[in-house]
């Protein structure tokens, strides 16, 4: 259970763990578009030979309850090519137009949707959906299955590919690059490839093969950013298409997940705090789904399958964090769930993967990454602490049941491959030419004491040879909403900044998910101000410990992270010199009172209901950026917005910008001669996407703004950008 996790988690705004592909479709929201949050980077050249340990360690991360690669094929360098361990369950990777050249001796490239099935690799090449033999996937020899230009989309992007079990059909989710709306193309790939069917506004898709050998496609339909309907269809001579489920509660959404062993399809119905799962027998897909457990307010659960048992990751019971339970398939209700594994408090479950005799948990504890390997046959637990430089996992669909491969990355370091080999009980890492950033930079883990005494984690990056850090520019990152981790995936432009002397700081404030479910609970609804206090404490600690100073400090955020940034600009503007925001949520009060917007009902559990609850309304007024603008000094602010963004309406951003300019004008009129008026820039981009990470124009504009506002020489940084990007 892996990559699909990302989608699902982001669906929930990361207030739940990504339990593999079971978390497939994002919960649609005002402030987060998940299919484009993380890139995929693959390394062309590597060797996989180094073992990280020679003996088992006692688990220091988990308690165990009894029940009531990097090196494969003799460690050949070619044995662990990314394509080799892709699977039919691999999820979408964002469309980008760039290649990375982070080292002259090694090539990295960002790739889009790609899936290995049988002897073929299926992927997008230019404007075509193609396939090639696995061993020739990088050779340029491929078969064109569909010419996407015939769809008449503006720069078509394949977000997801699912191949039917017997390889007679495939389903591909396709959209225009500047749009979120995806259509599902069903392509006949036996005999002469041809498009068999097309379904608009599809969210999640999965194939099963029934007892009679017929391929059945399951898909969910999205309307006005809401996903409430599930369908199943067959093709060829026995065409059939029917809706078999409709969720009537508009605060819930529906997504599909195929268990790793492909035995069951789960129909998942959930909102941000509650879930309900129905089980569909893969051998009898036309039978009615079987309910596992009726929704209980506040209880989240996700399901995997192994050997006639269901493995359930859930927050039921105390503590409030996730724990792993199991029950027999024929007795799935909650009263039959047996607890056999739980995590320490302040631990986030990032993902879970199931194998024949093992279950692997990918965890984040105290802002560090761990892997816990649970032996299902002997109830053993092994906890592995991963390298301290690592900030995030990249998890691929993995059909190899003998090994567990994954990648680690950080904002300034490209992904590095690792594999845990069950037979040897050891973790292996990719070796070879070490990335120069390893020696040229430092990563520090700090903690800031917030107003109420809570310790807030901070991750800091800077060059090893930087002298007098107080005189270096500082770029602070924050999010703090939906239980979603602050994004720390590799971005080459962040690496360029560190190479040019910048300090990067990532503030893991409450409202996010870095320390588990309670960390999110303590920063939502009428506790939102905790996140603001955390951010203020983090920046003040950084300055106090000699990391830059206010005149060289910039703050950046996207989407819902704009709430805390906008609030800080109102309450403590002297801490900052400049701010960059992308698709920021700034008008919380008016947005949450407008029930005509498609996602307002889904957001109530994060922000509250100001229309019917006076307490919520008054609390939102205390921090809402748009409601607290006043005549005072502000940092310069650069905002990137998208004209057809359905999640963060442009109207609210324009309203904020106009009010801010009026307040600045009023303040500057009374500030006296010599007052430097801050620059407020609103850059409205065309299209209906929520966030576009790979835009050369956007990155260039933001860098230009930061360097000008902080009074820095930008010649070197733009030369370095050219080296890292090919547009």
């Amino acid at each position: 259970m892996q990559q699909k996790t990302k989608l699902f988690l982001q669906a929930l705004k990361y207030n739940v763990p990504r339990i593999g592909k079971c978390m497939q479709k994002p919960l649609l929201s005002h402030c987060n578009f998940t299919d484009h949050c993380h890139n995929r980077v693959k390394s062309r050249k590597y060797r996989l030979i180094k073992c990280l340990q020679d003996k088992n360690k006692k688990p220091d991360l988990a308690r165990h309850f009894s029940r009531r690669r990097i090196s494969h094929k003799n460690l050949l360098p070619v044995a662990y090519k990314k394509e080799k361990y892709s699977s039919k369950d691999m999820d979408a990777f964002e469309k980008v137009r760039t290649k990375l050249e982070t080292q002259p001796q090694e090539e990295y490239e960002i790739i889009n949707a790609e899936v290995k099935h049988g002897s073929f690799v299926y992927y997008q090449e230019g404007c075509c959906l193609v396939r090639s033999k696995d061993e020739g996937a990088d050779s340029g020899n491929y078969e064109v299955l569909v010419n996407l230009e015939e769809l008449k989309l503006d720069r078509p992007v394949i977000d997801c590919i699912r191949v039917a079990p017997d390889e007679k059909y495939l389903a591909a989710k396709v959209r225009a690059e500047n749009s979120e709306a995806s259509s599902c193309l069903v392509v006949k790939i036996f005999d002469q490839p041809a498009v068999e069917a097309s379904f608009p506004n599809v969210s999640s898709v999965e194939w099963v093969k029934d007892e009679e050998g017929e391929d059945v496609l399951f898909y969910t339909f999205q309307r006005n950013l809401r996903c409430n309907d599930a369908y199943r269809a067959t093709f060829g001579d026995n065409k059939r298409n029917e809706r078999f489920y409709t969720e009537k509660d508009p605060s819930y959404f529906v997504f599909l997940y195929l268990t790793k062993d492909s035995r069951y399809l789960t129909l998942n119905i959930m909102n941000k705090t509650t879930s309900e799962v129905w089980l569909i027998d893969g051998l009898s897909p036309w039978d009615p789904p079987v309910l596992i457990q009726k929704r209980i307010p506040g209880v989240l659960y996700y399901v995997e399958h192994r050997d006639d048992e269901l493995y359930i990751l859930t927050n039921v019971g105390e503590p409030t964090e996730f724990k792993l339970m199991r029950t027999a398939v024929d007795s799935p209700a909650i009263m039959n769930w047996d607890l056999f594994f739980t995590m320490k408090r302040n631990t986030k479950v990032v993902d879970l993967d199931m194998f024949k005799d093992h279950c692997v948990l990918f965890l984040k504890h105290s802002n560090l990454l761990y892997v816990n390997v649970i032996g299902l046959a002997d109830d053993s637990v092994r906890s592995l602490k991963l390298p301290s430089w690592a900030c995030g996992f990249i998890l691929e669909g993995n059909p190899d049941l003998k090994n567990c491969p994954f990648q680690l990355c950080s904002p300034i370091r490209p992904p590095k491959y690792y594999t845990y080999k069950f037979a040897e009980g050891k973790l292996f890492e990719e070796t070879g030419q070490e990335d120069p950033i390893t020696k040229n930079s430092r990563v520090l883990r700090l903690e800031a004491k917030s107003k109420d005494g809570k310790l807030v984690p901070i991750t800091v990056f800077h060059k090893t040879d930087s002298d007098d850090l107080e005189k270096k520019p500082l770029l602070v990152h924050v999010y703090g909403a939906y239980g979603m981790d602050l994004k720390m995936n590799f971005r080459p432009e962040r690496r360029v900044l560190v190479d040019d002397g910048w300090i990067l700081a990532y503030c893991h404030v409450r409202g996010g998910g870095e320390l588990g479910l309670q960390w999110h609970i303590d920063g939502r609804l009428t506790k939102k101000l905790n996140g603001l206090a955390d951010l203020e404490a983090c920046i003040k600690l950084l300055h106090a410990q000699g990391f830059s100073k206010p005149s060289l400090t910039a703050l950046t955020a996207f989407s819902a992270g704009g709430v805390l940034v906008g609030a800080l600009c109102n309450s403590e503007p002297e801490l900052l010199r400049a701010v960059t925001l992308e698709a920021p949520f700034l008008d919380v009060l008016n947005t949450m009172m407008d029930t005509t917007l498609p996602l307002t009902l889904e957001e109530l559990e994060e922000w509250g209901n100001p229309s019917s609850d006076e307490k919520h309304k008054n609390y939102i007024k205390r921090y809402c950026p748009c409601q607290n603008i006043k005549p005072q000094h502000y940092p310069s602010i650069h905002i990137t917005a998208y004209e057809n963004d359905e999640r963060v309406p442009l109207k609210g951003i324009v309203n904020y910008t106009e009010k801010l300019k009026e307040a600045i004008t009023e303040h500057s009129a009374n500030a006296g001669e010599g007052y430097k008026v801050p620059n407020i820039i609103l850059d409205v981009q065309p299209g209906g996407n929520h966030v576009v990470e790979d835009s050369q124009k956007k990155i260039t504009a933001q860098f230009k703004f930061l360097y000008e506002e902080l009074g820095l020489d930008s010649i070197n940084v733009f030369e370095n950008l050219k080296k890292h990007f090919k547009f």
Side-chain angles (χ1 to χ4, degrees), residues 4 87-93 112-117 121-125 128-131 145 158-164 169-174 185 189 205-207:
K4 288 188 187 175
S87 85
K88 61 183 180 182
D89 295 320
M90 187 179 293
D91 218 344
F93 309 127
N112 28 313
E114 181 179 288
V115 60
K116 164 79 163 48
H117 188 101
V121 177
Y122 296 81
Y123 55 99
Q124 182 176 352
E125 184 71 28
C128 294
L129 170 60
V130 305
R131 70 176 177 182
L145 301 176
I158 297 177
D159 273 335
C160 171
I161 299 171
R162 297 285 184 269
V163 183
Y169 298 95
L170 69 75
K173 279 177 56 183
V174 185
L185 294 183
I189 53 178
V205 294
E206 294 291 354
W207 290 98

Side-chain angles (χ1 to χ4, degrees), residues 6-257:
K6 173 178 69 177
L7 295 181
F8 180 67
L9 246 186
Q10 294 167 352
L12 284 190
K13 315 305 186 298
Y14 288 81
N15 62 346
V16 296
R18 325 190 273 217
I19 179 171
K21 34 180 202 206
C22 117
M23 314 196 165
Q24 163 164 350
K25 181 62 190 171
L27 176 57
L28 305 172
S29 74
H30 291 300
C31 305
N32 181 43
F33 178 44
T34 65
D35 284 340
H36 307 289
C37 281
H38 300 282
N39 319 357
R40 265 285 305 169
V41 182
K42 73 175 180 181
S43 174
R44 294 281 193 185
K45 302 175 183 177
Y46 43 80
R47 293 173 312 198
L48 312 170
I49 58 175
K50 183 178 178 182
C51 177
L52 296 188
Q53 72 287 129
D54 294 319
K55 60 182 180 179
N56 291 347
K57 298 178 182 178
K58 294 181 179 179
D60 59 357
L61 230 208
R63 290 177 291 143
H64 184 265
F65 293 77
S66 60
R67 188 174 178 191
R68 345 174 212 199
R69 237 172 238 282
I70 286 229
S71 136
H72 302 282
K73 289 195 175 181
N74 299 322
L75 305 177
L76 292 176
V78 297
Y80 189 61
K81 291 181 70 173
K82 191 207 73 66
E83 293 87 355
K84 181 69 178 176
Y85 294 101
S86 299
S87 85
K88 61 183 180 182
D89 295 320
M90 187 179 293
D91 218 344
F93 309 127
E94 65 178 17
K95 168 68 176 177
V96 291
R97 298 183 303 277
T98 65
K99 287 189 176 181
L100 308 179
E101 293 178 338
T102 56
Q103 302 178 54
Q105 71 274 21
E106 197 162 357
E107 178 187 4
Y108 294 92
E109 70 173 319
I110 299 178
I111 58 175
N112 28 313
E114 181 179 288
V115 60
K116 164 79 163 48
H117 188 101
S119 60
F120 287 99
V121 177
Y122 296 81
Y123 55 99
Q124 182 176 352
E125 184 71 28
C127 287
C128 294
L129 170 60
V130 305
R131 70 176 177 182
S132 64
K133 289 290 185 178
D134 184 18
E135 62 273 11
D138 287 330
S139 66
N141 297 320
Y142 51 78
E143 174 189 5
V144 175
L145 301 176
V146 179
N147 183 352
L148 302 177
E149 290 182 331
E150 296 175 0
L151 303 178
K152 313 246 181 250
L153 296 175
D154 181 21
R155 296 190 297 276
V157 178
I158 297 177
D159 273 335
C160 171
I161 299 171
R162 297 285 184 269
V163 183
D166 59 3
E167 234 168 337
K168 290 182 179 179
Y169 298 95
L170 69 75
K173 279 177 56 183
V174 185
R175 61 177 177 83
E177 187 179 54
N178 62 355
S179 173
E180 294 187 29
S182 295
S183 294
C184 177
L185 294 183
V186 178
V187 183
K188 176 177 70 72
I189 53 178
F190 64 96
D191 296 332
Q192 185 67 28
V195 175
E196 182 84 5
S198 178
F199 304 118
N201 302 314
V202 168
S203 176
S204 58
V205 294
E206 294 291 354
W207 290 98
V208 299
K209 185 177 182 179
D210 65 19
E211 287 182 307
E212 298 178 357
E214 185 172 44
D215 294 320
V216 183
L217 178 69
F218 285 77
Y219 65 95
T220 53
F221 178 76
Q222 180 176 310
R223 181 188 296 109
N224 295 327
L225 297 182
R226 294 175 180 170
C227 189
N228 302 120
D229 298 314
Y231 291 77
R232 52 193 168 193
T234 54
F235 309 95
D237 296 333
N238 184 29
K239 282 189 171 64
R240 184 175 176 183
N241 188 22
E242 69 172 32
R243 181 175 58 185
F244 69 94
Y245 183 86
T246 296
E247 175 56 43
K248 296 182 179 179
D249 188 332
S251 70
Y252 283 76
F253 71 99
V254 178
F255 71 96
L256 302 167
Y257 164 60

Side-chain angles (χ1 to χ4, degrees), residues 434-678:
E434 192 66 39
D435 194 303
I437 200 70
T438 305
K439 296 181 178 180
N440 297 342
S441 67
R442 294 185 64 194
V443 55
L444 304 174
R445 313 280 180 167
L446 308 176
E447 288 184 324
K449 183 177 287 189
S450 194
K451 185 170 17 179
D452 60 358
K454 187 69 70 173
L455 295 178
V456 183
I458 311 171
T459 308
V460 179
F461 302 89
H462 67 83
K463 288 183 70 174
T464 305
D465 59 358
S466 291
D467 296 324
D468 200 355
L469 290 173
E470 186 178 354
K471 297 181 179 179
K472 300 297 182 182
L474 168 66
L475 183 61
V476 180
H477 301 71
V478 71
Y479 189 73
Y482 303 113
M484 177 178 174
D485 289 7
L486 181 59
K487 287 169 52 181
M488 300 187 71
N489 55 308
F490 173 60
R491 296 300 303 178
E493 65 269 23
R494 298 303 185 221
R495 177 169 177 154
V496 168
L497 289 178
V498 170
D499 287 341
D500 203 43
W502 283 70
I503 305 164
L504 304 185
Y506 291 77
C507 303
H508 309 289
V509 303
R510 280 174 284 185
E514 288 87 348
L515 298 184
L517 293 178
Q518 192 62 47
W519 199 247
H520 172 223
I521 292 170
D522 290 342
R524 69 183 183 97
L525 295 175
T526 55
K527 295 183 179 181
K528 273 290 175 187
L529 285 170
N530 283 341
L532 177 61
D534 293 351
L535 177 59
E536 179 183 333
C538 288
I539 296 176
K540 288 182 177 179
L541 176 77
L542 289 166
H543 291 161
Q545 293 200 2
F547 294 102
S548 195
K549 53 188 176 182
S551 62
L552 288 174
T553 297
L555 180 57
T556 185
F558 81 100
S559 197
V563 173
L564 296 183
V565 173
L568 187 71
C569 289
N570 288 328
S571 63
E572 298 282 349
E574 68 280 358
L575 292 177
L576 309 168
R577 180 65 185 89
V579 169
T580 65
L581 296 170
E582 185 172 4
F585 191 31
L586 297 165
D587 195 359
V588 182
L589 183 62
N590 289 324
T591 300
M592 294 308 300
M593 293 186 71
D594 187 353
T595 57
T596 65
L597 295 173
L599 300 176
T600 295
L601 294 177
E602 295 180 7
E603 300 293 297
L604 297 179
E605 294 181 60
E606 180 70 25
W607 309 101
N609 190 347
S611 296
S612 61
D613 190 319
E614 195 67 20
K615 179 182 177 182
H616 285 170
K617 183 177 182 179
N618 290 332
Y619 191 85
I620 291 173
K621 284 182 176 179
R622 292 172 60 187
Y623 68 80
C624 176
C626 210
Q627 298 294 317
N628 291 280
I629 294 172
K630 54 195 172 189
Q632 64 173 16
H633 175 72
Y634 278 90
S636 293
I637 301 176
H638 183 284
I639 301 175
T640 304
Y642 301 92
E643 61 180 356
N644 297 319
D645 189 339
E646 294 181 88
R647 301 177 185 279
V648 179
L650 182 60
K651 177 182 177 182
I653 297 176
V654 171
N655 183 37
Y656 170 85
T657 305
E658 291 177 348
K659 289 182 67 174
L660 185 61
K661 287 182 176 180
E662 290 175 2
I664 289 173
T665 299
E666 182 178 346
H667 173 72
S668 61
N670 302 315
E673 187 176 350
Y675 176 71
K676 185 177 180 180
V677 179

Side-chain angles (χ1 to χ4, degrees), residues 245-285:
Y245 183 86
T246 296
E247 175 56 43
K248 296 182 179 179
D249 188 332
S251 70
Y252 283 76
F253 71 99
V254 178
F255 71 96
L256 302 167
Y257 164 60
L258 186 66
T259 59
K260 184 171 182 178
D261 61 7
S262 300
R263 182 63 177 82
Y264 290 98
L265 184 73
T266 59
L267 178 70
N268 302 268
I269 299 98
M270 62 185 308
N271 62 17
K272 295 180 181 65
T273 61
T274 305
S275 63
E276 175 180 289
V277 182
W278 295 73
L279 209 59
I280 298 169
D281 190 336
L283 299 178
S284 305

